[in-house]
Amino acid sequence: MKRRDFLKAAAGGAAALCSAGSAEARPNKEPLENAIGILYDATLCVGCKACVRACKEINGLPPVIMGEDVQYDASRGVSGSTYNVIKVYKNGTSEAKDREIDGFSFAKKSCMHCVDPACVSGCPVSALTKNPVSGIVQYNADTCIGCRNCMVACPFSIPQYEYHDAKGQIQKCLFCNQAGVERISQGLLPGCADVCPTGATLFGTRKELLAEAKKRLASKPGETYTYARGRASDELHTHEKDAPAYQQHIYGEHEVGGTQVMHIAGVPLKKLGMPELPERSYASIAEGVQHTLYRGMIAPAIALAGLAYVVKRNTSKPDQDDPDGQNSRRPGPDNDRGEP
């Protein structure tokens, strides 16, 4: 079969795929009724990194050091040894907190535990799954084959592979509820929310956190606001502070179908490193295309039939350079080398 004929066959197969039916994205998945999550309020964060320390202690993660300095954890992003990191935004003179111009703000990066997670959809062996009750995006190292599709699929660049380890695994935040830790199952808080001194990292159900975020955004700048610590429903451990001028955006309410970790801030969330994303989840688009093309295996069957026909047609007729078919003899039992 000549190269040009193969290309024609491939083109025919592609056309068959396209004509098999129009691919449509399925709807976004809805948040689970009892989904849990975290609300990060950048206006309350003081950059103490207590959350980073607690996360590492609970999950047995080593500190990231800079040079020979072991005085503090120098993590600058999520990695195989850092599930949660606090970063800083600065502009101009950086003289005022939570101000975009000549101001600064802290920012948090960790797994967003998407409502309709692309990493779960993209994993070919279901090593990443979504807990049907809590909504936590879980990871099973025994199932993982190390393909790292999840790293490519995640719009937040969260799953990280342990490249330094010959038996490396995917690492990410599991809300401190993985086997052997199971803080939430025991009625405890994730480490980051448990130790946050200001309530910047607040734990609760997604419904509670979304309602609290909307309430904060509706507050008037300068008015006294009562902030909870640890858990959104906790009315005992609170503190009062003048409300800041919030950006009117709850990041994670709608992005890629919604997330269970949401962010609010006084500075545009894009400036704090949060990517601008559509409301349609990537998982819904990808699965819609796959399910349309492979429904009943009709499209692959059509493509295979087209390729088979072209191959048969081109191998059954004499070669154009040998119209009499004199050189069309094929190797046989008595002619192993295919000599004429």
Side-chain angles (χ1 to χ4, degrees):
M1 184 178 181
K2 294 183 175 63
R3 179 174 176 272
R4 64 175 177 271
D5 293 324
F6 175 79
L7 293 176
K8 288 179 181 178
L17 285 173
C18 293
S19 63
S22 57
E24 295 182 0
R26 63 161 172 77
N28 289 345
K29 291 182 178 179
E30 295 294 323
L32 296 171
E33 181 66 24
N34 298 310
I36 59 173
I38 281 176
L39 174 64
Y40 173 73
D41 188 336
T43 70
L44 295 176
C45 184
V46 295
C48 67
K49 294 189 177 181
C51 55
V52 178
R53 177 190 59 79
C55 177
K56 295 211 167 190
E57 286 184 356
I58 291 170
N59 293 287
L61 302 172
V64 175
I65 62 174
M66 185 178 295
E68 298 180 356
D69 190 352
V70 294
Q71 300 302 313
Y72 69 99
D73 191 297
S75 301
R76 294 189 174 184
V78 292
S79 66
S81 57
T82 303
Y83 300 164
N84 163 57
V85 68
I86 298 296
K87 308 187 83 170
V88 64
Y89 161 82
K90 294 181 179 179
N91 177 268
T93 60
S94 302
E95 61 188 52
K97 189 175 184 299
D98 304 312
R99 195 167 73 187
E100 181 180 0
I101 306 300
D102 289 331
F104 71 97
S105 175
F106 295 105
K108 178 183 175 75
K109 186 167 185 177
S110 63
C111 180
M112 301 293 283
H113 294 276
C114 300
V115 171
D116 195 358
C119 62
V120 171
S121 177
C123 181
V125 294
S126 298
L128 285 159
T129 57
K130 192 164 180 66
N131 186 282
V133 177
S134 67
I136 296 174
V137 177
Q138 305 167 137
Y139 172 69
N140 185 343
D142 293 332
T143 303
C144 181
I145 58 174
C147 69
R148 302 185 286 281
N149 278 1
C150 55
M151 296 176 63
V152 177
C154 178
F156 302 103
S157 303
I158 293 299
Q160 298 292 313
Y161 186 73
E162 296 175 311
Y163 290 100
H164 63 280
D165 190 338
K167 298 180 179 179
Q169 301 176 4
I170 289 293
Q171 299 290 350
K172 71 173 207 62
C173 162
L174 299 169
F175 268 155
C176 296
N177 206 50
Q178 65 271 32
V181 180
E182 299 159 337
R183 287 179 63 87
I184 295 173
S185 297
Q186 299 176 52
L188 303 175
L189 301 176
C192 58
D194 194 28
V195 301
C196 183
T198 64
T201 299
L202 193 65
F203 177 77
T205 67
R206 188 176 189 272
K207 289 181 178 179
E208 290 174 331
L209 298 173
L210 190 54
E212 175 64 19
K214 290 180 178 180
K215 184 180 176 183
R216 293 184 187 184
L217 266 58
S219 63
K220 295 180 180 180
E223 73 176 9
T224 301
Y225 193 94
T226 302
Y227 293 92
R229 289 192 182 100
R231 197 184 297 268
S233 59
D234 192 338
E235 299 180 355
L236 179 61
H237 301 93
T238 63
H239 67 102
E240 293 185 342
K241 174 182 173 294
D242 290 348
Y246 284 105
Q247 293 287 315
Q248 297 300 302
H249 181 194
I250 302 172
Y251 192 94
E253 180 180 8
H254 300 297
E255 278 78 6
V256 286
T259 59
Q260 291 174 215
V261 174
M262 294 172 286
H263 294 223
I264 55 177
V267 171
L269 276 300
K270 181 181 179 181
K271 297 290 182 71
L272 301 187
M274 307 306 292
E276 292 183 308
L277 298 170
E279 293 188 15
R280 172 67 68 185
S281 76
Y282 293 147
S284 71
I285 298 172
E287 291 178 18
V289 172
Q290 292 169 355
H291 294 173
T292 299
L293 293 179
Y294 290 92
R295 185 181 296 116
M297 296 301 290
I298 294 175
I302 294 174
L304 180 60
L307 286 168
Y309 168 76
V310 175
V311 170
K312 184 176 186 301
R313 184 191 65 187
N314 285 275
T315 55
S316 61
K317 67 181 181 180
D319 193 290
Q320 293 178 358
D321 297 330
D322 184 26
D324 297 326
Q326 296 299 316
N327 296 325
S328 61
R329 186 180 178 190
R330 298 289 183 266
D334 299 326
N335 193 16
D336 293 35
R337 297 181 182 178
E339 297 175 353

CSV table of all heavy atoms in Angstrom, one decimal, residues 300-336:
chain,number,residue,atom,x,y,z
A,300,PRO,N,-15.8,3.9,15.4
A,300,PRO,CA,-14.6,3.1,15.1
A,300,PRO,C,-14.9,2.0,14.1
A,300,PRO,O,-14.0,1.7,13.3
A,300,PRO,CB,-14.3,2.5,16.5
A,300,PRO,CG,-14.9,3.5,17.4
A,300,PRO,CD,-16.2,4.0,16.8
A,301,ALA,N,-16.1,1.4,14.1
A,301,ALA,CA,-16.4,0.3,13.1
A,301,ALA,C,-16.4,0.9,11.7
A,301,ALA,O,-15.9,0.3,10.8
A,301,ALA,CB,-17.7,-0.3,13.5
A,302,ILE,N,-17.0,2.1,11.5
A,302,ILE,CA,-17.0,2.7,10.2
A,302,ILE,C,-15.6,3.0,9.7
A,302,ILE,O,-15.2,2.8,8.6
A,302,ILE,CB,-17.9,4.0,10.2
A,302,ILE,CG1,-19.4,3.6,10.5
A,302,ILE,CG2,-17.8,4.8,8.9
A,302,ILE,CD1,-20.3,4.8,10.7
A,303,ALA,N,-14.8,3.6,10.6
A,303,ALA,CA,-13.4,4.0,10.3
A,303,ALA,C,-12.6,2.7,9.9
A,303,ALA,O,-11.9,2.7,8.9
A,303,ALA,CB,-12.8,4.7,11.4
A,304,LEU,N,-12.8,1.6,10.7
A,304,LEU,CA,-12.1,0.4,10.4
A,304,LEU,C,-12.5,-0.2,9.0
A,304,LEU,O,-11.7,-0.7,8.3
A,304,LEU,CB,-12.3,-0.6,11.5
A,304,LEU,CG,-11.6,-2.0,11.4
A,304,LEU,CD1,-10.1,-1.8,11.3
A,304,LEU,CD2,-12.0,-2.9,12.5
A,305,ALA,N,-13.8,-0.2,8.8
A,305,ALA,CA,-14.3,-0.7,7.5
A,305,ALA,C,-13.7,0.1,6.3
A,305,ALA,O,-13.4,-0.5,5.3
A,305,ALA,CB,-15.8,-0.6,7.5
A,306,GLY,N,-13.7,1.4,6.5
A,306,GLY,CA,-13.1,2.3,5.4
A,306,GLY,C,-11.7,1.9,5.2
A,306,GLY,O,-11.2,1.8,4.0
A,307,LEU,N,-10.9,1.8,6.2
A,307,LEU,CA,-9.5,1.5,6.1
A,307,LEU,C,-9.3,0.1,5.4
A,307,LEU,O,-8.4,-0.1,4.6
A,307,LEU,CB,-8.8,1.5,7.4
A,307,LEU,CG,-8.5,2.9,8.0
A,307,LEU,CD1,-8.1,2.8,9.5
A,307,LEU,CD2,-7.5,3.6,7.2
A,308,ALA,N,-10.1,-0.9,5.9
A,308,ALA,CA,-10.0,-2.2,5.4
A,308,ALA,C,-10.3,-2.3,3.9
A,308,ALA,O,-9.6,-3.0,3.1
A,308,ALA,CB,-10.9,-3.2,6.1
A,309,TYR,N,-11.3,-1.5,3.4
A,309,TYR,CA,-11.7,-1.5,2.0
A,309,TYR,C,-10.6,-0.9,1.2
A,309,TYR,O,-10.2,-1.5,0.1
A,309,TYR,CB,-13.0,-0.6,1.8
A,309,TYR,CG,-13.2,-0.3,0.4
A,309,TYR,CD1,-13.8,-1.3,-0.5
A,309,TYR,CD2,-13.0,1.0,-0.1
A,309,TYR,CE1,-14.0,-1.0,-1.8
A,309,TYR,CE2,-13.2,1.2,-1.5
A,309,TYR,CZ,-13.7,0.3,-2.3
A,309,TYR,OH,-14.0,0.6,-3.6
A,310,VAL,N,-10.0,0.2,1.6
A,310,VAL,CA,-8.9,0.8,0.8
A,310,VAL,C,-7.7,-0.1,0.8
A,310,VAL,O,-7.0,-0.2,-0.3
A,310,VAL,CB,-8.5,2.2,1.4
A,310,VAL,CG1,-7.3,2.8,0.7
A,310,VAL,CG2,-9.7,3.1,1.4
A,311,VAL,N,-7.4,-0.8,1.9
A,311,VAL,CA,-6.2,-1.7,1.9
A,311,VAL,C,-6.5,-2.8,0.9
A,311,VAL,O,-5.6,-3.2,0.1
A,311,VAL,CB,-6.0,-2.2,3.3
A,311,VAL,CG1,-4.9,-3.3,3.3
A,311,VAL,CG2,-5.5,-1.1,4.2
A,312,LYS,N,-7.6,-3.4,1.0
A,312,LYS,CA,-8.0,-4.5,0.1
A,312,LYS,C,-7.9,-4.1,-1.4
A,312,LYS,O,-7.4,-4.8,-2.2
A,312,LYS,CB,-9.4,-5.1,0.4
A,312,LYS,CG,-9.8,-6.3,-0.4
A,312,LYS,CD,-11.1,-6.8,0.1
A,312,LYS,CE,-11.4,-8.2,-0.6
A,312,LYS,NZ,-11.4,-8.1,-2.1
A,313,ARG,N,-8.5,-2.9,-1.7
A,313,ARG,CA,-8.5,-2.5,-3.0
A,313,ARG,C,-7.1,-2.3,-3.6
A,313,ARG,O,-6.8,-2.6,-4.8
A,313,ARG,CB,-9.3,-1.1,-3.1
A,313,ARG,CG,-9.5,-0.6,-4.5
A,313,ARG,CD,-10.0,0.8,-4.5
A,313,ARG,NE,-9.0,1.7,-3.9
A,313,ARG,CZ,-9.2,3.0,-3.6
A,313,ARG,NH1,-10.4,3.5,-3.8
A,313,ARG,NH2,-8.3,3.7,-3.0
A,314,ASN,N,-6.2,-1.8,-2.8
A,314,ASN,CA,-4.9,-1.4,-3.2
A,314,ASN,C,-4.0,-2.7,-3.3
A,314,ASN,O,-2.9,-2.6,-4.0
A,314,ASN,CB,-4.3,-0.3,-2.4
A,314,ASN,CG,-4.8,1.0,-2.7
A,314,ASN,OD1,-4.4,1.7,-3.7
A,314,ASN,ND2,-5.8,1.4,-2.0
A,315,THR,N,-4.3,-3.7,-2.5
A,315,THR,CA,-3.4,-4.9,-2.5
A,315,THR,C,-3.9,-5.9,-3.5
A,315,THR,O,-3.1,-6.8,-3.9
A,315,THR,CB,-3.3,-5.5,-1.1
A,315,THR,OG1,-4.7,-5.8,-0.7
A,315,THR,CG2,-2.6,-4.5,-0.2
A,316,SER,N,-5.1,-5.8,-4.0
A,316,SER,CA,-5.6,-6.8,-4.9
A,316,SER,C,-5.4,-6.5,-6.3
A,316,SER,O,-5.4,-7.4,-7.2
A,316,SER,CB,-7.2,-7.0,-4.7
A,316,SER,OG,-7.8,-5.8,-4.9
A,317,LYS,N,-5.2,-5.2,-6.7
A,317,LYS,CA,-5.0,-4.9,-8.1
A,317,LYS,C,-3.5,-4.8,-8.4
A,317,LYS,O,-2.6,-4.6,-7.5
A,317,LYS,CB,-5.6,-3.5,-8.4
A,317,LYS,CG,-4.9,-2.3,-7.7
A,317,LYS,CD,-5.6,-1.0,-8.0
A,317,LYS,CE,-4.9,0.2,-7.4
A,317,LYS,NZ,-5.6,1.4,-7.7
A,318,PRO,N,-3.1,-5.1,-9.7
A,318,PRO,CA,-1.6,-5.1,-10.1
A,318,PRO,C,-1.0,-3.7,-9.8
A,318,PRO,O,-1.7,-2.7,-9.9
A,318,PRO,CB,-1.7,-5.5,-11.6
A,318,PRO,CG,-3.0,-6.1,-11.8
A,318,PRO,CD,-3.9,-5.5,-10.8
A,319,ASP,N,0.2,-3.8,-9.6
A,319,ASP,CA,1.0,-2.5,-9.4
A,319,ASP,C,1.0,-1.7,-10.7
A,319,ASP,O,1.1,-2.3,-11.8
A,319,ASP,CB,2.4,-2.8,-9.0
A,319,ASP,CG,3.1,-1.6,-8.5
A,319,ASP,OD1,3.4,-0.7,-9.3
A,319,ASP,OD2,3.4,-1.5,-7.3
A,320,GLN,N,0.8,-0.4,-10.7
A,320,GLN,CA,0.7,0.4,-11.9
A,320,GLN,C,2.0,0.3,-12.7
A,320,GLN,O,2.0,0.5,-13.9
A,320,GLN,CB,0.4,1.9,-11.5
A,320,GLN,CG,-0.9,2.0,-10.9
A,320,GLN,CD,-1.2,3.5,-10.5
A,320,GLN,OE1,-0.3,4.3,-10.6
A,320,GLN,NE2,-2.4,3.7,-10.0
A,321,ASP,N,3.1,0.1,-12.1
A,321,ASP,CA,4.4,0.0,-12.8
A,321,ASP,C,4.6,-1.4,-13.4
A,321,ASP,O,5.6,-1.7,-14.1
A,321,ASP,CB,5.6,0.3,-11.9
A,321,ASP,CG,5.5,1.7,-11.3
A,321,ASP,OD1,5.0,2.6,-12.1
A,321,ASP,OD2,6.0,1.9,-10.2
A,322,ASP,N,3.7,-2.3,-13.1
A,322,ASP,CA,3.8,-3.7,-13.6
A,322,ASP,C,2.4,-4.1,-14.1
A,322,ASP,O,1.7,-5.0,-13.4
A,322,ASP,CB,4.3,-4.6,-12.5
A,322,ASP,CG,4.5,-6.0,-13.0
A,322,ASP,OD1,4.8,-6.2,-14.3
A,322,ASP,OD2,4.5,-7.0,-12.2
A,323,PRO,N,1.8,-3.6,-15.2
A,323,PRO,CA,0.5,-3.8,-15.6
A,323,PRO,C,0.1,-5.3,-15.8
A,323,PRO,O,-1.0,-5.7,-15.7
A,323,PRO,CB,0.3,-2.9,-16.8
A,323,PRO,CG,1.7,-2.7,-17.3
A,323,PRO,CD,2.6,-2.7,-16.1
A,324,ASP,N,1.1,-6.1,-16.2
A,324,ASP,CA,0.9,-7.5,-16.5
A,324,ASP,C,1.0,-8.4,-15.3
A,324,ASP,O,0.7,-9.6,-15.4
A,324,ASP,CB,1.9,-8.0,-17.6
A,324,ASP,CG,1.7,-7.2,-18.9
A,324,ASP,OD1,0.5,-6.9,-19.2
A,324,ASP,OD2,2.7,-7.0,-19.6
A,325,GLY,N,1.3,-7.7,-14.2
A,325,GLY,CA,1.4,-8.5,-13.0
A,325,GLY,C,2.5,-9.5,-12.9
A,325,GLY,O,2.5,-10.4,-12.2
A,326,GLN,N,3.6,-9.3,-13.8
A,326,GLN,CA,4.7,-10.2,-13.8
A,326,GLN,C,5.5,-10.2,-12.5
A,326,GLN,O,6.1,-11.2,-12.2
A,326,GLN,CB,5.6,-9.9,-15.0
A,326,GLN,CG,4.9,-10.0,-16.4
A,326,GLN,CD,4.4,-11.4,-16.6
A,326,GLN,OE1,5.1,-12.3,-16.4
A,326,GLN,NE2,3.2,-11.5,-17.1
A,327,ASN,N,5.5,-9.1,-11.8
A,327,ASN,CA,6.4,-9.0,-10.6
A,327,ASN,C,5.5,-9.0,-9.4
A,327,ASN,O,6.0,-8.6,-8.3
A,327,ASN,CB,7.2,-7.7,-10.7
A,327,ASN,CG,8.2,-7.7,-11.8
A,327,ASN,OD1,8.7,-8.8,-12.2
A,327,ASN,ND2,8.4,-6.5,-12.4
A,328,SER,N,4.3,-9.5,-9.5
A,328,SER,CA,3.4,-9.4,-8.3
A,328,SER,C,3.5,-10.7,-7.5
A,328,SER,O,2.8,-10.9,-6.5
A,328,SER,CB,2.0,-9.3,-8.8
A,328,SER,OG,1.6,-10.4,-9.6
A,329,ARG,N,4.5,-11.6,-7.9
A,329,ARG,CA,4.6,-12.8,-7.1
A,329,ARG,C,5.1,-12.5,-5.7
A,329,ARG,O,6.0,-11.7,-5.5
A,329,ARG,CB,5.7,-13.7,-7.8
A,329,ARG,CG,5.8,-15.1,-7.2
A,329,ARG,CD,6.8,-15.9,-7.9
A,329,ARG,NE,7.0,-17.2,-7.3
A,329,ARG,CZ,8.0,-18.1,-7.7
A,329,ARG,NH1,8.8,-17.7,-8.6
A,329,ARG,NH2,8.1,-19.2,-7.1
A,330,ARG,N,4.5,-13.2,-4.7
A,330,ARG,CA,4.8,-13.0,-3.3
A,330,ARG,C,5.7,-14.1,-2.8
A,330,ARG,O,5.6,-15.3,-3.3
A,330,ARG,CB,3.5,-12.8,-2.5
A,330,ARG,CG,2.7,-11.6,-2.9
A,330,ARG,CD,3.3,-10.3,-2.5
A,330,ARG,NE,2.5,-9.2,-2.8
A,330,ARG,CZ,2.6,-8.5,-3.9
A,330,ARG,NH1,3.5,-8.9,-4.8
A,330,ARG,NH2,1.8,-7.5,-4.1
A,331,PRO,N,6.4,-13.9,-1.7
A,331,PRO,CA,7.2,-15.0,-1.1
A,331,PRO,C,6.3,-16.1,-0.7
A,331,PRO,O,5.2,-15.9,-0.2
A,331,PRO,CB,7.9,-14.3,0.1
A,331,PRO,CG,7.9,-12.8,-0.3
A,331,PRO,CD,6.6,-12.6,-1.1
A,332,GLY,N,6.7,-17.3,-0.9
A,332,GLY,CA,6.0,-18.5,-0.5
A,332,GLY,C,6.9,-19.5,0.1
A,332,GLY,O,8.1,-19.2,0.4
A,333,PRO,N,6.4,-20.7,0.4
A,333,PRO,CA,7.2,-21.7,1.1
A,333,PRO,C,8.5,-22.0,0.3
A,333,PRO,O,9.5,-22.3,0.9
A,333,PRO,CB,6.2,-22.9,1.1
A,333,PRO,CG,4.9,-22.3,1.0
A,333,PRO,CD,5.0,-21.1,0.1
A,334,ASP,N,8.4,-22.0,-1.0
A,334,ASP,CA,9.6,-22.3,-1.8
A,334,ASP,C,10.4,-21.1,-2.3
A,334,ASP,O,11.3,-21.2,-3.1
A,334,ASP,CB,9.2,-23.1,-3.1
A,334,ASP,CG,8.5,-24.4,-2.7
A,334,ASP,OD1,8.9,-25.0,-1.6
A,334,ASP,OD2,7.6,-24.8,-3.4
A,335,ASN,N,9.9,-19.9,-1.8
A,335,ASN,CA,10.6,-18.7,-2.2
A,335,ASN,C,10.6,-17.7,-1.1
A,335,ASN,O,10.0,-16.7,-1.1
A,335,ASN,CB,9.8,-18.1,-3.4
A,335,ASN,CG,10.5,-17.0,-4.1
A,335,ASN,OD1,11.7,-16.9,-3.9
A,335,ASN,ND2,9.8,-16.2,-4.8
A,336,ASP,N,11.4,-18.1,0.0
A,336,ASP,CA,11.4,-17.4,1.2
A,336,ASP,C,11.9,-16.0,1.1
A,336,ASP,O,11.5,-15.1,1.8
A,336,ASP,CB,12.3,-18.1,2.3
A,336,ASP,CG,11.7,-19.5,2.7
A,336,ASP,OD1,11.1,-20.1,1.8
A,336,ASP,OD2,11.8,-19.8,3.8
